[in-house]
Coordinates of all heavy atoms in Angstrom, one line a residue:
I4 N 8.0 -1.7 3.0 CA 7.9 -3.0 3.4 C 6.6 -3.6 3.0 O 5.5 -3.2 3.5 CB 8.0 -3.1 5.0 CG1 9.4 -2.5 5.4 CG2 8.0 -4.5 5.4 CD1 9.5 -2.4 6.9
A5 N 6.6 -4.4 2.0 CA 5.3 -4.8 1.3 C 4.5 -5.7 2.3 O 5.0 -6.6 2.9 CB 5.7 -5.6 0.1
Y6 N 3.2 -5.4 2.2 CA 2.3 -6.3 3.0 C 2.4 -7.7 2.5 O 2.4 -8.6 3.3 CB 0.8 -5.7 2.7 CG -0.2 -6.9 2.5 CD1 -0.6 -7.6 3.6 CD2 -0.6 -7.2 1.2 CE1 -1.4 -8.7 3.3 CE2 -1.4 -8.3 1.0 CZ -1.8 -9.0 2.1 OH -2.7 -10.1 1.8
F8 N 4.8 -9.4 1.5 CA 6.0 -10.1 2.1 C 5.7 -10.5 3.5 O 6.4 -11.4 4.0 CB 7.2 -9.3 1.9 CG 8.5 -10.1 2.0 CD1 8.7 -11.1 1.2 CD2 9.4 -9.8 3.1 CE1 9.9 -11.9 1.3 CE2 10.6 -10.5 3.2 CZ 10.8 -11.6 2.2
L9 N 4.8 -9.8 4.1 CA 4.4 -10.2 5.5 C 3.5 -11.4 5.5 O 3.2 -12.0 6.6 CB 3.8 -9.0 6.2 CG 4.7 -7.7 6.3 CD1 3.9 -6.6 7.0 CD2 6.0 -8.0 7.0
L10 N 2.8 -11.6 4.4 CA 1.9 -12.7 4.3 C 2.6 -14.0 4.0 O 2.4 -14.7 3.0 CB 0.9 -12.4 3.1 CG -0.5 -12.0 3.5 CD1 -1.3 -11.8 2.3 CD2 -1.2 -13.1 4.3
L11 N 3.5 -14.4 4.9 CA 4.3 -15.6 4.7 C 3.8 -16.9 5.3 O 4.3 -17.9 4.9 CB 5.7 -15.4 5.2 CG 6.4 -14.2 4.5 CD1 7.8 -14.0 5.0 CD2 6.6 -14.6 2.9
L12 N 2.8 -16.8 6.1 CA 2.3 -18.0 6.8 C 0.9 -18.3 6.3 O 0.1 -17.3 6.1 CB 2.3 -17.9 8.3 CG 3.6 -17.6 9.0 CD1 3.5 -17.8 10.5 CD2 4.6 -18.6 8.4
T13 N 0.5 -19.5 6.2 CA -0.8 -19.9 5.8 C -1.6 -20.3 7.1 O -2.8 -20.6 7.0 CB -0.9 -21.1 4.9 OG1 -0.2 -22.2 5.5 CG2 -0.2 -20.7 3.6
G14 N -1.0 -20.2 8.2 CA -1.7 -20.5 9.5 C -1.4 -21.8 10.0 O -1.9 -22.2 11.1
P48 N 6.5 -22.0 6.7 CA 7.8 -22.4 7.0 C 7.8 -23.7 7.9 O 6.9 -23.9 8.7 CB 8.5 -21.2 7.8 CG 7.3 -20.4 8.2 CD 6.1 -20.7 7.3
L55 N 12.9 -16.7 3.8 CA 12.1 -15.7 3.2 C 12.3 -15.4 1.7 O 11.4 -15.1 1.0 CB 12.3 -14.4 4.0 CG 11.9 -14.5 5.5 CD1 12.1 -13.1 6.1 CD2 10.6 -15.1 5.8
K194 N 3.5 2.9 10.7 CA 4.0 2.0 11.7 C 5.0 1.0 11.1 O 5.7 0.3 11.8 CB 2.9 1.3 12.5 CG 3.3 0.9 13.9 CD 2.2 0.3 14.7 CE 2.6 0.0 16.1 NZ 1.5 -0.6 16.9
Q195 N 5.0 0.9 9.8 CA 6.0 0.0 9.1 C 7.4 0.5 9.4 O 8.4 -0.3 9.3 CB 5.7 -0.1 7.7 CG 4.5 -0.9 7.3 CD 4.4 -1.1 5.8 OE1 5.3 -0.8 5.0 NE2 3.2 -1.5 5.4
A197 N 8.5 1.2 12.2 CA 8.8 1.0 13.6 C 9.7 -0.3 13.9 O 10.0 -0.6 15.0 CB 7.5 0.8 14.4
V198 N 10.0 -1.0 12.8 CA 10.7 -2.2 13.0 C 12.1 -1.9 13.6 O 12.9 -1.2 13.0 CB 10.9 -2.9 11.6 CG1 11.8 -4.2 11.8 CG2 9.6 -3.2 11.0
G199 N 12.4 -2.5 14.7 CA 13.7 -2.4 15.4 C 14.0 -1.0 16.0 O 15.1 -0.7 16.3
A229 N -8.3 -2.7 7.4 CA -8.0 -3.9 8.2 C -6.5 -4.0 8.5 O -6.1 -4.4 9.6 CB -8.6 -5.1 7.5
Y230 N -5.7 -3.7 7.5 CA -4.2 -3.8 7.7 C -3.8 -2.8 8.8 O -3.0 -3.1 9.6 CB -3.6 -3.4 6.4 CG -2.1 -3.4 6.4 CD1 -1.3 -4.6 6.4 CD2 -1.4 -2.2 6.5 CE1 0.0 -4.5 6.4 CE2 0.0 -2.1 6.5 CZ 0.7 -3.3 6.5 OH 2.0 -3.2 6.5
D231 N -4.4 -1.6 8.8 CA -4.1 -0.6 9.8 C -4.5 -1.0 11.2 O -3.8 -0.9 12.1 CB -4.7 0.7 9.4 CG -4.4 1.9 10.4 OD1 -3.2 2.3 10.4 OD2 -5.3 2.2 11.2
D232 N -5.7 -1.6 11.2 CA -6.2 -2.1 12.5 C -5.2 -3.2 13.1 O -4.9 -3.3 14.3 CB -7.6 -2.7 12.4 CG -8.6 -1.7 12.2 OD1 -8.3 -0.5 12.5 OD2 -9.8 -2.0 11.8
A233 N -4.7 -4.1 12.2 CA -3.8 -5.2 12.6 C -2.6 -4.6 13.2 O -2.1 -5.1 14.2 CB -3.6 -6.1 11.4
L234 N -2.0 -3.6 12.5 CA -0.8 -3.0 13.0 C -1.0 -2.2 14.3 O -0.3 -2.2 15.2 CB -0.2 -2.1 12.0 CG 0.5 -2.7 10.8 CD1 1.0 -1.6 9.8 CD2 1.6 -3.7 11.2
M235 N -2.2 -1.5 14.3 CA -2.5 -0.6 15.5 C -2.6 -1.4 16.8 O -2.2 -1.0 17.8 CB -3.9 0.1 15.2 CG -4.3 1.1 16.2 SD -3.2 2.5 16.3 CE -4.0 3.4 17.6
F236 N -3.2 -2.6 16.6 CA -3.5 -3.4 17.8 C -2.4 -4.5 18.1 O -2.5 -5.4 18.8 CB -4.8 -4.1 17.8 CG -6.0 -3.1 17.8 CD1 -6.7 -2.8 16.7 CD2 -6.2 -2.4 18.9 CE1 -7.7 -1.8 16.7 CE2 -7.3 -1.5 19.0 CZ -8.0 -1.2 17.9
G237 N -1.3 -4.3 17.3 CA 0.0 -5.0 17.6 C 0.0 -6.4 17.1 O 0.9 -7.2 17.5
N238 N -0.9 -6.8 16.2 CA -0.8 -8.1 15.6 C 0.5 -8.2 14.8 O 0.9 -7.3 14.1 CB -2.0 -8.4 14.6 CG -3.3 -8.5 15.4 OD1 -3.3 -8.5 16.6 ND2 -4.4 -8.7 14.7
N239 N 1.1 -9.4 14.8 CA 2.3 -9.7 14.1 C 1.9 -10.3 12.7 O 1.6 -11.5 12.7 CB 3.2 -10.6 14.8 CG 4.6 -10.7 14.2 OD1 4.7 -10.6 13.0 ND2 5.6 -10.9 15.0
L240 N 1.9 -9.5 11.7 CA 1.5 -10.0 10.4 C 2.5 -11.0 9.8 O 2.1 -11.8 9.0 CB 1.3 -8.9 9.4 CG 0.2 -7.9 9.8 CD1 0.0 -6.8 8.7 CD2 -1.1 -8.6 10.0
L241 N 3.7 -11.0 10.3 CA 4.7 -11.9 9.8 C 4.5 -13.3 10.3 O 4.8 -14.3 9.6 CB 6.1 -11.5 10.2 CG 7.3 -12.3 9.7 CD1 7.3 -12.5 8.2 CD2 8.6 -11.8 10.3
F242 N 3.8 -13.4 11.5 CA 3.7 -14.8 12.1 C 2.2 -15.1 12.4 O 1.9 -15.3 13.5 CB 4.6 -14.9 13.3 CG 6.0 -14.9 13.0 CD1 6.8 -13.8 13.3 CD2 6.6 -15.9 12.2 CE1 8.2 -13.7 13.0 CE2 7.9 -15.9 11.9 CZ 8.7 -14.8 12.2
G243 N 1.4 -15.0 11.4 CA 0.1 -15.5 11.5 C -1.0 -14.4 11.4 O -0.8 -13.3 11.7
G244 N -2.1 -14.8 10.8 CA -3.3 -14.0 10.8 C -3.5 -13.1 9.6 O -4.6 -12.6 9.3
A245 N -2.4 -12.8 8.8 CA -2.5 -11.9 7.7 C -3.4 -12.4 6.6 O -4.0 -11.6 5.9 CB -1.1 -11.6 7.2
S246 N -3.5 -13.7 6.4 CA -4.3 -14.2 5.4 C -5.8 -14.0 5.6 O -6.6 -14.2 4.7 CB -4.1 -15.7 5.2 OG -4.4 -16.4 6.3
D247 N -6.2 -13.5 6.8 CA -7.6 -13.1 7.1 C -7.9 -11.7 6.6 O -9.1 -11.3 6.7 CB -7.8 -13.2 8.6 CG -7.7 -14.7 9.1 OD1 -7.9 -15.6 8.3 OD2 -7.3 -14.8 10.3
L248 N -7.0 -11.0 6.1 CA -7.3 -9.6 5.6 C -8.2 -9.7 4.4 O -8.1 -10.6 3.6 CB -6.0 -8.9 5.3 CG -5.1 -8.5 6.4 CD1 -3.7 -8.0 5.9 CD2 -5.7 -7.5 7.3

Side-chain angles (χ1 to χ4, degrees):
I4 304 175
Y6 138 74
F8 198 59
L9 302 178
L10 251 179
L11 295 177
L12 300 190
T13 60
L55 298 186
K194 204 171 181 183
Q195 288 187 13
V198 178
Y230 176 81
D231 182 71
D232 286 346
L234 289 181
M235 183 68 179
F236 294 108
N238 291 356
N239 190 330
L240 297 183
L241 179 58
F242 294 110
S246 58
D247 295 330
L248 291 173

